[in-house]
Amino acid sequence: MSWGTIATWRMADDGVHKAAALLANRGTAGDAVETAIKAVEDYPYYKSVGYGGLPNAHGILEMDAAFMDGDSFKIGAVAGIVDVKNPISVARKLSDEKFNSFRVGQGATEYAMLAGFERCNMLTPRAKKIWEQRVEEISKHNLDPYDGHDTVGVVSLDQFGKMCAGTSSSGLFMKQAGRVGDSPLSGSGFYVDSEVGGAVATGLGEDLMKGCLSYEIVRKMSEGLAPQQACDEAVYRFHHKLKKRYGKAGAFSLVAMNPKGEWGVATNVEFTFSVAANGEDSQIFIANMGADEQTIIEPISQEWLDAYEKRIKAPID
Ligand code: ASP
């Protein structure tokens, strides 16, 4: 039986590696998704997810996450949750609830506390410093405040044919209080059906929501398209449509996998992702939009990885 995991951004690679080990040993897709995402949430140098994520305009780190089970269609999600170590685990637990399975703000945080999830001040001194500098820069130079966002989105397929998907994000850096992106929204940030496949998104939530692109990719796979073709068609068509009808299109990137472990990706910006499928260990690739609406995918170079490592750990003065 095939198995695999695909996830957004280079930051997901350690988690995908762990998920692959789990799946190779007959672990479940749900555990693979949660394991992969927790690895990103826990790593302090990733500025857009979990611990170390960048806060909103008021300096408060509000996080969004979701979990979906592709067998039962169960969904759990949180938005604007604060001071909780692993939002993805809270979202997964919520997916077992028949009612109240998508919780926001204080209700989400309270649920997590009552359910016994670990409380943690998620704002690292480094993230606080970046925020302070940004506040100063914005007021001095009258800049557009929004600078940076990335979501970890994961789709996994286990040896029993089950697929799950999950997302976790601190959303848009300097977002207004209570702003929620696409990541916890079914159909926009994620969607999975074990019989068809799954897709997850990263990018400007405000624009991703306009196209429900995760669902659109899964729908195209249900019509028989391979994941790559489904991604190319859904993403580039919508990119052009948005430019024409709305005037511009924010950055967005999606990854997908089907129950055979075949995968696909499409993006309108330079985009990295990690995938482990059918017995292969995790591998990082870089993708770009090609001129003919086909995604160009290349293995990542060591040079790129070294520069990335340096960039994320650069001292903040
Ligand atoms: N989609 C996320 C949001 O808009 C951010 C990102 O993935 O870049 O909140």
Side-chain angles (χ1 to χ4, degrees), residues 24 26 61 88 110 112 116 172 193 202 237-238 249:
R26 302 173 70 77
L61 178 58
I88 185 61
E110 272 171 17
L172 204 53
D193 174 339
T202 177
R237 262 184 214 168
F238 188 66

Side-chain angles (χ1 to χ4, degrees), residues 34 37-38 41 65 86-94 111 117:
E34 187 177 353
I37 292 181
K38 275 173 87 170
E41 289 179 337
N86 292 112
I88 185 61
S89 303
V90 181
R92 186 179 184 190
K93 172 108 175 111
L94 277 166
Y111 169 83
F117 286 96

